[in-house]
Amino acid sequence: TMRIMGIDLQGSDLVYVVATCKGDYVTFDAGNSIALSATRDRDAFAAFQTTLRTILQEFSPERIAVKWKPEAGKMSAGAAALKMEA
């Protein structure tokens, strides 16, 4: 049995899904999003980190997969996504 968390950074939101794989079967345990409310506010970033830490502790994923975003170009990550990635 393995628990996996998938993460996609969309604008100022971190969208996640948690799944458990057991052999050939996959069950989806949870999915939601959390927002970074302000990219230049230290308190907003601290609140985002605390929320993400709580989610990670609650689900204890064994693997975390983050969808890759290019730094430049049409589908590039914005300032919020780059800060959330860090």
Side-chain angles (χ1 to χ4, degrees):
T1 303
M2 181 186 303
R3 183 167 278 173
I4 301 168
M5 175 180 275
I7 294 175
D8 185 17
L9 303 173
Q10 298 178 357
S12 62
D13 293 333
L14 180 147
V15 180
Y16 69 91
V17 63
V18 179
T20 301
C21 303
K22 190 173 187 178
D24 292 338
Y25 297 97
V26 177
T27 57
F28 291 96
D29 303 322
N32 209 337
S33 65
I34 56 176
L36 177 57
S37 59
T39 60
R40 297 179 188 261
D41 181 2
R42 182 168 169 70
D43 292 336
F45 192 68
F48 175 84
Q49 287 178 316
T50 300
T51 302
L52 182 57
R53 188 177 300 116
T54 301
I55 293 166
L56 290 171
Q57 289 172 347
E58 179 182 348
F59 292 107
S60 300
E62 295 159 300
R63 299 275 192 266
I64 299 174
V66 180
K67 184 177 178 185
W68 179 80
K69 298 270 189 185
E71 292 181 22
K74 185 177 180 183
M75 299 297 290
S76 66
L82 293 174
K83 288 179 181 182
M84 289 187 289
E85 236 178 33

Coordinates of all heavy atoms in Angstrom, one line a residue:
T1 N 0.8 -1.2 0.0 CA 0.0 0.0 0.0 C 0.9 1.2 0.0 O 1.8 1.3 0.8 CB -0.9 0.0 1.2 OG1 -1.7 -1.2 1.3 CG2 -1.8 1.2 1.2
M2 N 0.6 2.2 -0.9 CA 1.3 3.4 -1.0 C 0.4 4.6 -1.1 O -0.6 4.6 -1.9 CB 2.3 3.4 -2.1 CG 3.1 4.7 -2.3 SD 4.1 4.8 -3.7 CE 5.0 3.3 -3.6
R3 N 0.6 5.6 -0.3 CA -0.2 6.9 -0.4 C 0.6 7.9 -1.2 O 1.8 8.1 -0.9 CB -0.6 7.4 0.9 CG -1.4 8.6 0.8 CD -2.0 9.0 2.1 NE -3.2 8.2 2.3 CZ -3.9 8.1 3.4 NH1 -3.5 8.8 4.5 NH2 -5.0 7.3 3.6
I4 N -0.1 8.5 -2.2 CA 0.6 9.5 -3.1 C -0.2 10.8 -3.1 O -1.4 10.8 -3.1 CB 0.6 8.9 -4.5 CG1 1.4 7.6 -4.6 CG2 1.2 9.9 -5.5 CD1 1.2 6.8 -5.9
M5 N 0.5 11.9 -3.1 CA -0.1 13.2 -3.2 C 0.3 13.8 -4.5 O 1.5 13.9 -4.8 CB 0.2 14.1 -2.1 CG -0.3 15.5 -2.2 SD 0.1 16.6 -0.8 CE -1.2 16.2 0.3
G6 N -0.6 14.2 -5.4 CA -0.3 14.9 -6.6 C -0.6 16.4 -6.4 O -1.7 16.8 -5.8
I7 N 0.3 17.3 -6.9 CA 0.1 18.7 -6.7 C 0.2 19.4 -8.1 O 1.1 19.1 -8.8 CB 1.2 19.3 -5.8 CG1 1.0 18.7 -4.3 CG2 1.2 20.8 -5.7 CD1 2.1 19.1 -3.4
D8 N -0.7 20.4 -8.3 CA -0.6 21.2 -9.5 C -0.8 22.7 -9.0 O -1.6 23.0 -8.2 CB -1.8 20.9 -10.4 CG -1.7 21.6 -11.7 OD1 -0.6 22.2 -12.1 OD2 -2.7 21.7 -12.5
L9 N 0.2 23.5 -9.4 CA 0.1 24.9 -9.1 C -0.6 25.7 -10.2 O -0.1 25.7 -11.3 CB 1.6 25.4 -8.9 CG 2.4 24.7 -7.8 CD1 3.8 25.1 -7.8 CD2 1.8 24.8 -6.5
Q10 N -1.7 26.3 -9.8 CA -2.6 27.0 -10.8 C -2.8 28.4 -10.3 O -3.6 28.7 -9.4 CB -3.9 26.3 -10.9 CG -3.8 24.9 -11.5 CD -5.2 24.2 -11.6 OE1 -6.2 24.8 -11.2 NE2 -5.2 23.0 -12.1
G11 N -2.0 29.4 -10.9 CA -2.1 30.7 -10.4 C -1.6 30.9 -9.0 O -0.5 30.5 -8.7
S12 N -2.5 31.3 -8.1 CA -2.1 31.4 -6.7 C -2.6 30.3 -5.9 O -2.7 30.3 -4.6 CB -2.5 32.8 -6.1 OG -3.9 32.9 -6.2
D13 N -3.1 29.3 -6.5 CA -3.7 28.1 -5.8 C -2.8 26.9 -6.0 O -2.2 26.6 -7.0 CB -5.1 27.7 -6.4 CG -6.1 28.8 -6.1 OD1 -6.0 29.5 -5.1 OD2 -7.1 28.9 -6.9
L14 N -2.7 26.1 -4.9 CA -2.1 24.8 -4.9 C -3.3 23.8 -4.9 O -4.0 23.7 -3.9 CB -1.2 24.6 -3.7 CG -0.5 23.3 -3.6 CD1 0.9 23.5 -3.0 CD2 -1.3 22.2 -2.9
V15 N -3.4 23.0 -6.0 CA -4.5 22.0 -6.1 C -3.9 20.7 -5.8 O -2.8 20.3 -6.4 CB -5.2 22.1 -7.5 CG1 -6.3 21.0 -7.6 CG2 -5.7 23.4 -7.8
Y16 N -4.5 19.9 -4.9 CA -3.9 18.6 -4.6 C -4.9 17.5 -4.6 O -6.1 17.7 -4.4 CB -3.2 18.6 -3.2 CG -4.1 18.8 -2.0 CD1 -4.6 17.6 -1.4 CD2 -4.5 20.0 -1.6 CE1 -5.5 17.8 -0.3 CE2 -5.3 20.1 -0.5 CZ -5.8 19.0 0.1 OH -6.7 19.1 1.2
V17 N -4.4 16.3 -4.8 CA -5.2 15.1 -4.7 C -4.4 14.0 -4.0 O -3.2 14.0 -4.2 CB -5.7 14.6 -6.1 CG1 -4.6 14.2 -7.0 CG2 -6.7 13.4 -6.0
V18 N -5.0 13.3 -3.1 CA -4.3 12.2 -2.4 C -5.0 10.9 -2.8 O -6.2 10.7 -2.8 CB -4.5 12.4 -0.9 CG1 -3.7 11.3 -0.1 CG2 -3.9 13.8 -0.5
A19 N -4.1 9.9 -3.2 CA -4.6 8.6 -3.6 C -3.8 7.5 -2.9 O -2.7 7.7 -2.5 CB -4.5 8.5 -5.1
T20 N -4.5 6.4 -2.7 CA -3.9 5.2 -2.1 C -3.9 4.1 -3.1 O -4.9 3.8 -3.7 CB -4.6 4.8 -0.8 OG1 -4.6 5.8 0.1 CG2 -3.9 3.6 -0.2
C21 N -2.7 3.6 -3.4 CA -2.5 2.5 -4.3 C -2.3 1.2 -3.6 O -1.4 1.1 -2.7 CB -1.3 2.8 -5.2 SG -1.4 4.3 -6.1
K22 N -3.1 0.2 -3.9 CA -3.0 -1.1 -3.2 C -3.1 -2.1 -4.3 O -4.2 -2.4 -4.8 CB -4.1 -1.3 -2.2 CG -3.9 -2.5 -1.3 CD -5.0 -2.5 -0.2 CE -4.7 -3.6 0.7 NZ -5.6 -3.6 1.8
G23 N -1.9 -2.6 -4.8 CA -1.9 -3.5 -5.9 C -2.3 -2.8 -7.1 O -1.8 -1.8 -7.5
D24 N -3.3 -3.4 -7.8 CA -3.9 -2.8 -9.0 C -5.0 -1.8 -8.8 O -5.6 -1.2 -9.7 CB -4.4 -3.9 -10.0 CG -3.3 -4.7 -10.5 OD1 -2.1 -4.2 -10.6 OD2 -3.6 -5.9 -10.9
Y25 N -5.3 -1.5 -7.5 CA -6.5 -0.7 -7.1 C -6.0 0.7 -6.6 O -5.1 0.8 -5.8 CB -7.4 -1.4 -6.1 CG -8.0 -2.6 -6.6 CD1 -7.4 -3.8 -6.3 CD2 -9.1 -2.6 -7.4 CE1 -7.9 -5.0 -6.8 CE2 -9.7 -3.8 -7.9 CZ -9.1 -5.0 -7.6 OH -9.6 -6.1 -8.1
V26 N -6.7 1.7 -7.1 CA -6.4 3.1 -6.6 C -7.7 3.7 -6.0 O -8.7 3.6 -6.7 CB -5.9 4.0 -7.8 CG1 -5.6 5.4 -7.3 CG2 -4.6 3.4 -8.4
T27 N -7.5 4.2 -4.8 CA -8.7 4.9 -4.3 C -8.3 6.4 -4.0 O -7.1 6.6 -3.6 CB -9.1 4.3 -2.9 OG1 -8.0 4.3 -2.0 CG2 -9.7 2.9 -3.1
F28 N -9.2 7.3 -4.3 CA -8.9 8.7 -4.0 C -9.4 9.1 -2.7 O -10.6 8.9 -2.4 CB -9.6 9.5 -5.1 CG -8.9 9.3 -6.5 CD1 -9.4 8.4 -7.4 CD2 -7.7 10.0 -6.8 CE1 -8.8 8.2 -8.6 CE2 -7.1 9.8 -8.0 CZ -7.6 8.9 -8.9
D29 N -8.5 9.5 -1.8 CA -8.8 9.8 -0.4 C -9.3 11.2 -0.2 O -10.1 11.5 0.7 CB -7.6 9.5 0.4 CG -7.1 8.1 0.3 OD1 -7.9 7.2 0.2 OD2 -5.8 7.9 0.3
A30 N -8.7 12.2 -1.0 CA -9.0 13.6 -0.8 C -8.5 14.4 -1.9 O -7.7 14.0 -2.7 CB -8.3 14.1 0.5
G31 N -9.1 15.6 -2.0 CA -8.7 16.5 -3.1 C -9.2 17.9 -2.7 O -10.4 18.0 -2.2
N32 N -8.4 18.9 -2.9 CA -8.9 20.2 -2.5 C -7.8 21.2 -3.1 O -6.9 20.8 -3.8 CB -9.0 20.4 -1.0 CG -10.1 21.4 -0.6 OD1 -10.4 22.3 -1.4 ND2 -10.6 21.2 0.6
S33 N -8.0 22.5 -2.6 CA -7.0 23.5 -3.0 C -6.7 24.4 -1.8 O -7.6 24.6 -1.0 CB -7.4 24.2 -4.3 OG -8.5 25.0 -4.0
I34 N -5.5 25.0 -1.8 CA -5.3 26.0 -0.9 C -4.7 27.2 -1.6 O -4.0 27.0 -2.7 CB -4.3 25.6 0.3 CG1 -3.0 25.0 -0.3 CG2 -5.0 24.5 1.1 CD1 -2.0 24.6 0.8
A35 N -4.9 28.4 -1.1 CA -4.5 29.6 -1.9 C -3.4 30.3 -1.1 O -3.4 30.4 0.1 CB -5.7 30.5 -2.1
L36 N -2.5 30.9 -1.9 CA -1.6 31.9 -1.4 C -2.2 33.2 -1.6 O -2.3 33.7 -2.8 CB -0.2 31.8 -2.1 CG 0.9 32.8 -1.7 CD1 1.2 32.7 -0.3 CD2 2.1 32.5 -2.6
S37 N -2.7 33.8 -0.6 CA -3.6 35.0 -0.7 C -2.9 36.3 -1.2 O -3.5 37.1 -1.8 CB -4.3 35.3 0.6 OG -3.4 35.5 1.6
A38 N -1.6 36.4 -0.9 CA -0.8 37.5 -1.3 C 0.7 37.1 -1.5 O 1.2 36.5 -0.7 CB -0.9 38.6 -0.3
T39 N 1.2 37.4 -2.7 CA 2.6 37.0 -3.0 C 3.7 37.8 -2.3 O 4.8 37.4 -2.3 CB 2.8 37.0 -4.5 OG1 2.7 38.3 -5.0 CG2 1.9 36.0 -5.2
R40 N 3.3 39.0 -1.8 CA 4.3 39.9 -1.2 C 4.1 40.1 0.3 O 4.7 40.9 0.9 CB 4.3 41.2 -1.9 CG 4.7 41.1 -3.4 CD 4.7 42.5 -4.0 NE 4.8 42.4 -5.4 CZ 6.0 42.6 -6.1 NH1 7.0 42.9 -5.4 NH2 6.1 42.5 -7.4
D41 N 3.3 39.2 0.9 CA 2.9 39.3 2.3 C 3.5 38.1 3.1 O 3.1 37.0 2.8 CB 1.4 39.4 2.4 CG 1.0 39.5 3.9 OD1 1.8 39.6 4.8 OD2 -0.3 39.5 4.1
R42 N 4.4 38.4 4.0 CA 5.1 37.3 4.7 C 4.1 36.5 5.5 O 4.2 35.3 5.6 CB 6.2 37.9 5.6 CG 6.9 36.9 6.4 CD 8.1 37.5 7.1 NE 8.8 36.6 8.0 CZ 9.5 35.5 7.8 NH1 9.6 35.1 6.5 NH2 10.0 34.8 8.7
D43 N 3.1 37.2 6.1 CA 2.1 36.5 6.9 C 1.2 35.5 6.1 O 0.9 34.4 6.5 CB 1.2 37.5 7.7 CG 1.9 38.2 8.8 OD1 3.0 37.7 9.2 OD2 1.5 39.3 9.1
A44 N 0.9 36.0 4.8 CA 0.1 35.1 3.9 C 0.9 33.9 3.5 O 0.4 32.8 3.5 CB -0.3 35.9 2.7
F45 N 2.2 34.1 3.3 CA 3.1 32.9 3.0 C 3.2 32.0 4.2 O 3.2 30.7 4.0 CB 4.4 33.4 2.5 CG 5.2 32.3 1.8 CD1 4.8 31.8 0.6 CD2 6.4 31.8 2.4 CE1 5.5 30.7 0.0 CE2 7.1 30.8 1.8 CZ 6.7 30.2 0.6
A46 N 3.4 32.5 5.4 CA 3.5 31.7 6.6 C 2.2 30.9 6.8 O 2.2 29.7 7.1 CB 3.8 32.5 7.8
A47 N 1.0 31.5 6.5 CA -0.3 30.8 6.7 C -0.4 29.7 5.6 O -0.9 28.6 5.9 CB -1.4 31.8 6.5
F48 N 0.1 30.0 4.4 CA 0.1 28.9 3.4 C 0.9 27.7 3.8 O 0.5 26.6 3.6 CB 0.6 29.5 2.0 CG 0.7 28.6 0.9 CD1 -0.4 28.2 0.2 CD2 1.9 28.0 0.7 CE1 -0.2 27.3 -0.9 CE2 2.1 27.0 -0.3 CZ 1.0 26.7 -1.1
Q49 N 2.1 28.0 4.3 CA 3.0 27.0 4.7 C 2.4 26.1 5.8 O 2.5 24.9 5.8 CB 4.4 27.5 5.2 CG 5.2 28.0 4.1 CD 6.5 28.7 4.6 OE1 6.5 29.4 5.6 NE2 7.6 28.3 4.0
T50 N 1.8 26.8 6.8 CA 1.2 26.1 7.9 C 0.1 25.2 7.4 O 0.0 24.0 7.9 CB 0.6 27.1 8.9 OG1 1.7 27.9 9.4 CG2 0.0 26.4 10.1
T51 N -0.8 25.7 6.5 CA -1.8 24.8 6.0 C -1.3 23.6 5.2 O -1.8 22.5 5.4 CB -2.7 25.7 5.0 OG1 -3.3 26.8 5.8 CG2 -3.9 24.9 4.5
L52 N -0.3 23.9 4.4 CA 0.3 22.8 3.6 C 0.9 21.7 4.6 O 0.8 20.5 4.4 CB 1.3 23.3 2.6 CG 2.0 22.2 1.8 CD1 0.9 21.4 1.0 CD2 3.0 22.9 0.8
R53 N 1.6 22.2 5.6 CA 2.3 21.3 6.6 C 1.2 20.4 7.3 O 1.4 19.2 7.5 CB 3.0 22.1 7.6 CG 3.9 21.3 8.5 CD 4.7 22.1 9.5 NE 5.6 23.0 8.8 CZ 5.6 24.3 8.8 NH1 4.7 24.9 9.5 NH2 6.5 25.0 8.1
T54 N 0.1 21.0 7.6 CA -1.0 20.3 8.3 C -1.6 19.2 7.3 O -1.8 18.1 7.8 CB -2.2 21.3 8.7 OG1 -1.6 22.3 9.6 CG2 -3.3 20.6 9.3
I55 N -1.8 19.6 6.1 CA -2.3 18.6 5.1 C -1.3 17.4 5.0 O -1.7 16.3 4.9 CB -2.5 19.3 3.7 CG1 -3.7 20.2 3.9 CG2 -2.8 18.2 2.6 CD1 -3.9 21.2 2.7
L56 N 0.0 17.8 4.9 CA 1.0 16.7 4.7 C 1.0 15.8 6.0 O 1.2 14.6 5.9 CB 2.4 17.3 4.5 CG 2.6 18.0 3.1 CD1 3.9 18.7 3.1 CD2 2.5 16.9 2.0
Q57 N 0.9 16.4 7.1 CA 0.9 15.6 8.4 C -0.4 14.7 8.5 O -0.3 13.6 8.9 CB 1.0 16.5 9.6 CG 2.4 17.1 9.8 CD 2.4 18.1 10.9 OE1 1.4 18.6 11.4 NE2 3.6 18.5 11.2
E58 N -1.5 15.3 8.0 CA -2.8 14.5 8.0 C -2.7 13.3 7.1 O -3.2 12.2 7.5 CB -3.9 15.4 7.6 CG -5.3 14.7 7.6 CD -6.4 15.6 7.2 OE1 -6.2 16.9 7.1 OE2 -7.5 15.1 6.9
F59 N -2.2 13.4 5.9 CA -2.3 12.3 5.0 C -1.0 11.5 4.9 O -1.0 10.4 4.4 CB -2.6 12.9 3.6 CG -4.0 13.4 3.5 CD1 -4.3 14.8 3.5 CD2 -5.1 12.5 3.6 CE1 -5.6 15.2 3.4 CE2 -6.4 13.0 3.5 CZ -6.6 14.4 3.4
S60 N 0.1 12.1 5.4 CA 1.4 11.4 5.4 C 1.7 10.6 4.1 O 1.9 9.4 4.1 CB 1.5 10.4 6.5 OG 1.3 11.0 7.8
P61 N 1.7 11.3 2.9 CA 2.0 10.7 1.7 C 3.5 10.1 1.6 O 4.4 10.7 2.2 CB 1.8 11.8 0.6 CG 2.1 13.0 1.4 CD 1.6 12.8 2.8
E62 N 3.6 9.0 1.0 CA 4.9 8.4 0.8 C 5.6 9.0 -0.4 O 6.9 8.9 -0.5 CB 4.8 6.9 0.7 CG 4.3 6.3 2.0 CD 3.8 4.9 1.9 OE1 2.8 4.8 1.1 OE2 4.3 4.0 2.5
R63 N 4.9 9.4 -1.3 CA 5.4 10.1 -2.6 C 4.6 11.3 -2.8 O 3.4 11.4 -2.6 CB 5.2 9.2 -3.8 CG 6.0 7.9 -3.7 CD 7.4 8.0 -4.1 NE 8.1 6.8 -4.3 CZ 8.8 6.1 -3.4 NH1 8.9 6.6 -2.2 NH2 9.3 5.0 -3.7
I64 N 5.3 12.4 -3.3 CA 4.7 13.6 -3.7 C 5.1 13.9 -5.1 O 6.3 14.0 -5.4 CB 5.0 14.8 -2.7 CG1 4.6 14.5 -1.3 CG2 4.4 16.1 -3.2 CD1 5.1 15.5 -0.3
A65 N 4.1 14.2 -6.0 CA 4.4 14.5 -7.3 C 3.9 15.9 -7.6 O 2.7 16.2 -7.4 CB 3.7 13.5 -8.3
V66 N 4.8 16.8 -8.1 CA 4.4 18.1 -8.4 C 4.5 18.3 -9.9 O 5.5 18.0 -10.6 CB 5.4 19.2 -7.8 CG1 5.0 20.6 -8.1 CG2 5.4 19.0 -6.3
K67 N 3.4 18.8 -10.5 CA 3.3 19.0 -12.0 C 4.3 20.1 -12.3 O 4.3 21.2 -11.8 CB 1.9 19.4 -12.4 CG 1.8 19.5 -13.9 CD 0.3 19.8 -14.3 CE 0.2 20.0 -15.8 NZ -1.1 20.4 -16.1
W68 N 5.2 19.8 -13.3 CA 6.2 20.7 -13.7 C 5.6 21.9 -14.5 O 4.7 21.7 -15.3 CB 7.2 20.0 -14.5 CG 8.3 20.8 -15.1 CD1 9.4 21.2 -14.4 CD2 8.4 21.4 -16.4 NE1 10.2 22.0 -15.2 CE2 9.6 22.1 -16.4 CE3 7.6 21.3 -17.5 CZ2 10.0 22.8 -17.6 CZ3 8.0 22.0 -18.6 CH2 9.2 22.7 -18.7
K69 N 6.1 23.1 -14.2 CA 5.7 24.3 -15.0 C 7.0 25.0 -15.5 O 8.0 25.1 -14.7 CB 5.0 25.3 -14.1 CG 3.7 24.8 -13.5 CD 2.6 25.1 -14.4 CE 1.3 24.8 -13.6 NZ 0.1 24.9 -14.4
P70 N 7.1 25.4 -16.7 CA 8.2 26.1 -17.2 C 8.3 27.5 -16.6 O 7.3 28.1 -16.2 CB 8.0 26.2 -18.7 CG 6.5 26.1 -18.9 CD 6.0 25.2 -17.7
E71 N 9.6 28.0 -16.5 CA 9.8 29.3 -15.9 C 9.5 30.4 -16.9 O 9.3 31.6 -16.5 CB 11.2 29.5 -15.4 CG 11.5 28.6 -14.2 CD 12.9 28.7 -13.7 OE1 13.5 29.8 -13.9 OE2 13.3 27.8 -13.0
A72 N 9.5 30.1 -18.2 CA 9.2 31.1 -19.2 C 8.4 30.5 -20.3 O 8.4 29.3 -20.5 CB 10.5 31.6 -19.8
G73 N 7.7 31.3 -21.1 CA 6.9 30.8 -22.2 C 5.4 30.8 -21.9 O 4.9 31.4 -20.9
K74 N 4.6 30.2 -22.8 CA 3.2 30.3 -22.8 C 2.5 29.8 -21.5 O 1.6 30.3 -21.0 CB 2.6 29.6 -24.0 CG 1.1 29.7 -24.2 CD 0.6 29.1 -25.4 CE -0.9 29.2 -25.6 NZ -1.4 28.6 -26.7
M75 N 3.0 28.6 -21.1 CA 2.4 28.0 -19.9 C 3.3 28.2 -18.6 O 3.4 27.3 -17.8 CB 2.3 26.5 -20.1 CG 1.3 26.1 -21.3 SD -0.4 26.7 -21.0 CE -0.8 25.6 -19.7
S76 N 4.0 29.3 -18.6 CA 5.0 29.5 -17.5 C 4.3 29.8 -16.2 O 3.1 30.2 -16.1 CB 5.8 30.7 -17.8 OG 5.1 31.9 -17.9
A77 N 5.1 29.5 -15.1 CA 4.6 29.7 -13.8 C 4.7 31.2 -13.4 O 5.6 31.8 -13.8 CB 5.4 28.8 -12.8
G78 N 3.7 31.6 -12.7 CA 3.7 33.0 -12.2 C 4.5 33.2 -10.9 O 5.0 32.2 -10.3
A79 N 4.5 34.4 -10.4 CA 5.2 34.6 -9.1 C 4.7 33.8 -8.0 O 5.5 33.2 -7.2 CB 5.1 36.1 -8.8
A80 N 3.4 33.6 -7.9 CA 2.8 32.8 -6.7 C 3.3 31.4 -6.9 O 3.7 30.8 -5.9 CB 1.3 33.0 -6.7
A81 N 3.2 30.8 -8.1 CA 3.6 29.4 -8.3 C 5.0 29.2 -7.9 O 5.4 28.2 -7.3 CB 3.3 29.0 -9.7
L82 N 5.9 30.1 -8.3 CA 7.3 30.0 -8.0 C 7.6 30.0 -6.5 O 8.4 29.3 -6.0 CB 8.1 31.0 -8.8 CG 8.1 30.9 -10.3 CD1 8.8 32.1 -10.9 CD2 8.8 29.6 -10.7
K83 N 6.9 30.9 -5.8 CA 7.0 30.9 -4.4 C 6.5 29.7 -3.7 O 7.1 29.2 -2.7 CB 6.4 32.2 -3.8 CG 7.1 33.5 -4.2 CD 6.5 34.7 -3.7 CE 7.3 35.9 -4.1 NZ 6.7 37.2 -3.6
M84 N 5.3 29.2 -4.2 CA 4.8 28.0 -3.6 C 5.7 26.8 -3.8 O 5.8 25.9 -3.0 CB 3.4 27.7 -4.1 CG 2.3 28.7 -3.6 SD 0.7 28.3 -4.1 CE 0.7 28.6 -5.9
E85 N 6.3 26.7 -5.0 CA 7.2 25.7 -5.3 C 8.4 25.6 -4.4 O 8.9 24.6 -4.0 CB 7.7 25.8 -6.8 CG 7.5 24.6 -7.6 CD 7.9 24.9 -9.1 OE1 9.0 25.6 -9.3 OE2 7.3 24.4 -10.0
A86 N 8.9 26.8 -4.0 CA 10.1 26.9 -3.2 C 9.7 26.4 -1.8 O 10.4 25.7 -1.1 CB 10.6 28.3 -3.1

